Amino acid sequence: MGLPRKALRTTAIGTASAALLAGSATAAAPAALPAAAPAATPHNSAATASPDVRFVDIEGDGGIVLKANVVTPAGADGRQTYPVVVLPTSWAMPQIEYLAQAKKLADSGYVVVSYNSRGFWQSGGEIETAGPPDIADASKVIDWALANTPADPERVGMAGVSYGAGISLLASAKDKRIKAVAALSGWADLIDSIYSGRTQHLQAAALLSGAGHLTGRPSAELQEIMTAFLTSDLTKEQEMIEWGRKRSPATYLDEINANGAAIMLGNAWGDSLFPPNQYADFYERLSGPKRLEFRPGDHATAEGTGLLGLPNDTWTSAHRWLDHHLKGVDNGVDREQPVLIRTRTGGAVETYPDWKSVGADRKKIALGEAQSIRTGVDSGANGGLIFLSSMLDQFAQLPPMASIPLLPRSFAAVWQSERYWTEQRVRGTAKLHTTVTSTKESGTLVAYLYDVGPLGLGKLVASAPYTFHGRTPGQPFAVDLELYSTAYDVPAGHRLAVVVDTVDPLYIEHNPTGAQLTFSSPAADPSYLSVPLRQK
């Protein structure tokens, strides 16, 4: 099935935007590498009280060179060992990404080895997207650290942001030496991240692809997969899914549990690349020591200031986690409720004993009135733009908005709740159940949950896409869809609205020209949206 012309145009725009974003984030990196060198000079009297920084080459899997830096505690003389933390870099980021955090860790008694993931910048090889060579690289770096630094082989940890988080989780399944992991803004299920609801996350994939080409050397396999993904080549769908499964920590859950590493997961509610649902599902299935934290923001924005050396809650939690599980510090992290969330509205911190306790109470919004819509037009209800929209929500509490009364009913189905006279604290994962009848065998729908004020202005609470293929035209079928998890307070006097349309710039849509969708609510199987709530 070919990609529609308008989607191709959007892909081109998205890829160009990705290149610009990646360029602005990393353009200064080559100049920064030499600038950091004086910190590694042990003869400078001002540096004697600071951690020692060295830039080194480490042999990775297959003999490639991994560019790395090593930070050791000040005064380390080889007469004692220290816990070691290995930090693989994020997608498209240079090897100095973690230098500020590495120095903080070294100041508190760690050896830290950060390396540029294969295929990016000056490291050798090609981009394997956390494939087997990347996981073998992680073990090679641990080998090197144990042989060349005062690292304690019994106290090995890994941590990272985004790509580094995914590699750290995957490595914990394959290397029993890893005792603790802090995986920030990462993924547990790659398919459920960028192909959730059987729908291509266009802007996310285009950004990753563009940044990879700009800063590294994508492998032939990666290029083939991304071409099939962005052109909607369904003949390659199973191949794409298997490729993603091989790179998903959830695939290796039994091995991760058997090895028993203590795992901390941190993410943002609005992560454009790796939505929170897949991390929460993975967390629930971990059997060892574990912790889960969600905060407002988009991909890597919750921990971004920490990479600059500024105070940062996420990195503070990660340090506490590593301190307890690698250094044996009695800091209480093992006695706290392990699920911590910060709300999008007001930033309140809440803790829970487990994920299923978040939003344990539920309220249903009935979708009783049948509605039909035409496809192929963005009604005005959408999830916004990658990074920009969630960052506006994070820093200004301005999520994507839509005027619910003005949404064109020809292109958007709309249902509203009663007006709530008390605050409704939405926590966790809203779930849509409905019956769909299509005039074509394929189609895409996107569901939204809005907080609607007295004047009809809706603020986006949650959303998610759903795509179907091979359906018999005119024959109803059930749809069950989980919206992206969130923590949002709906003020007293407001309503909730459920909106369903068929086009969102975040996704590739599969609606043939002239298609119509009807949403009905049979008496034997009523349609509804189940909203998770925290009661006072």
Side-chain angles (χ1 to χ4, degrees):
M1 178 176 178
L3 191 66
R5 199 179 340 173
K6 60 183 175 184
L8 283 171
R9 288 198 297 268
T10 309
T11 302
I13 293 169
T15 304
S17 300
L20 290 172
L21 285 168
S24 64
T26 57
L33 286 169
T41 306
H43 305 297
N44 186 324
S45 59
T48 56
S50 300
D52 178 65
V53 182
R54 294 181 292 134
F55 290 92
V56 300
D57 291 347
I58 297 176
E59 183 177 315
D61 185 56
I64 69 159
V65 172
L66 299 171
K67 294 294 182 176
N69 58 69
V70 184
V71 188
T72 51
D77 56 11
R79 287 183 291 183
Q80 71 176 97
T81 59
Y82 302 87
V84 58
V85 177
V86 173
L87 302 167
T89 54
S90 303
W91 187 272
M93 292 299 288
Q95 60 159 302
I96 60 167
E97 175 186 10
Y98 301 113
L99 202 52
Q101 286 301 320
K103 288 181 176 180
K104 288 178 181 289
L105 286 166
D107 277 339
S108 63
Y110 290 89
V111 171
V112 185
V113 183
S114 175
Y115 69 96
N116 230 131
S117 303
R118 68 165 52 220
F120 287 106
W121 294 92
Q122 296 165 317
S123 283
E126 297 179 329
I127 301 171
E128 301 289 346
T129 322
D134 290 293
I135 311 314
D137 285 345
S139 290
K140 288 278 192 178
V141 173
I142 294 172
D143 293 342
W144 185 93
L146 297 179
N148 295 277
T149 74
D152 185 341
E154 299 301 317
R155 296 185 290 170
V156 177
M158 289 192 70
V161 175
S162 186
Y163 196 45
I167 290 174
S168 296
L169 286 174
L170 287 161
S172 73
K174 302 299 181 183
D175 196 321
K176 295 181 179 180
R177 295 173 296 182
I178 299 170
K179 299 298 190 292
V181 171
L184 312 178
S185 288
W187 74 92
D189 188 325
L190 192 56
I191 296 301
D192 200 32
S193 294
I194 63 173
Y195 195 49
S196 66
R198 207 180 176 187
T199 307
Q200 298 104 314
H201 293 214
L202 172 63
Q203 292 183 18
L207 186 144
L208 290 170
S209 180
H213 279 87
L214 184 69
T215 62
R217 300 166 299 282
S219 67
E221 181 184 30
L222 173 57
Q223 294 185 61
E224 182 181 344
I225 289 293
M226 290 308 298
T227 297
F229 186 85
L230 291 171
T231 58
S232 301
D233 185 354
L234 292 181
T235 66
K236 300 285 185 67
E237 183 180 36
Q238 193 57 41
E239 182 181 336
M240 290 186 283
I241 290 172
E242 291 302 323
W243 177 87
R245 283 177 178 161
K246 186 184 293 186
R247 291 157 171 81
S248 296
T251 301
Y252 310 100
L253 179 71
D254 290 344
E255 294 168 75
I256 292 172
N257 284 337
N259 288 344
I263 293 177
M264 172 188 164
L265 305 173
N267 204 355
W269 295 119
D271 195 314
S272 298
L273 304 184
F274 309 128
N277 303 44
Q278 45 92 35
Y279 241 20
D281 291 344
F282 179 70
Y283 170 83
E284 283 290 89
R285 295 188 289 148
L286 289 171
S287 62
K290 58 185 180 178
R291 185 173 181 84
L292 177 67
E293 299 187 359
F294 286 133
R295 292 177 171 82
D298 206 307
H299 185 67
T301 64
E303 55 273 353
T305 56
L307 295 176
L308 301 175
L310 301 174
N312 180 276
D313 288 348
T314 305
W315 279 106
T316 297
S317 289
H319 284 232
R320 292 181 68 228
W321 188 252
L322 296 172
D323 283 350
H324 180 74
H325 291 286
L326 296 181
K327 295 171 67 178
V329 176
D330 185 13
N331 54 20
V333 72
D334 57 321
R335 297 186 294 275
E336 297 169 359
Q337 294 202 105
V339 175
L340 179 150
I341 67 173
R342 187 179 291 275
T343 64
R344 290 168 49 198
T345 44
V349 174
E350 301 172 356
T351 60
Y352 300 85
D354 47 41
W355 175 250
K356 64 178 178 287
S357 298
V358 178
D361 296 303
R362 288 190 168 266
K363 181 177 291 186
K364 288 184 178 181
I365 300 174
L367 313 183
E369 180 183 351
Q371 298 189 39
S372 295
I373 60 174
R374 289 179 284 172
T375 66
V377 173
D378 187 342
S379 69
N382 60 61
L385 294 173
I386 189 171
F387 290 132
L388 177 62
S389 296
S390 291
M391 290 177 68
L392 283 172
D393 186 33
Q394 177 183 2
F395 296 113
Q397 294 189 15
L398 291 173
M401 300 181 191
S403 174
I404 303 305
L406 296 181
L407 291 175
R409 295 320 197 249
S410 296
F411 303 105
V414 180
W415 301 266
Q416 295 194 70
S417 73
E418 75 277 15
R419 192 182 306 276
Y420 300 116
W421 298 113
T422 59
E423 181 182 65
Q424 303 295 298
R425 298 190 289 177
V426 180
R427 301 289 186 272
T429 309
K431 300 178 181 180
L432 172 73
H433 174 76
T434 189
T435 296
V436 178
T437 305
S438 174
T439 58
K440 305 289 184 179
E441 66 172 15
S442 295
T444 297
L445 60 93
V446 187
Y448 308 91
L449 179 63
Y450 282 98
D451 159 24
V452 185
L455 299 179
L457 181 63
K459 295 183 177 181
L460 187 63
V461 178
S463 64
Y466 181 90
T467 294
F468 58 89
H469 298 289
R471 291 291 179 178
T472 302
Q475 182 172 314
F477 60 94
V479 168
D480 288 285
L481 176 64
E482 289 191 348
L483 276 59
Y484 302 140
S485 304
T486 195
Y488 184 101
D489 296 329
V490 179
H494 287 212
R495 305 173 187 268
L496 286 170
V498 181
V499 178
V500 181
D501 73 0
T502 63
V503 176
D504 190 307
L506 291 173
Y507 313 111
I508 292 176
E509 50 98 357
H510 295 262
N511 295 297
T513 302
Q516 293 186 15
L517 300 180
T518 297
F519 303 93
S520 58
S521 183
D525 186 19
S527 295
Y528 60 85
L529 184 87
S530 174
V531 182
L533 298 173
R534 174 189 170 101
Q535 298 298 329
K536 294 182 179 180

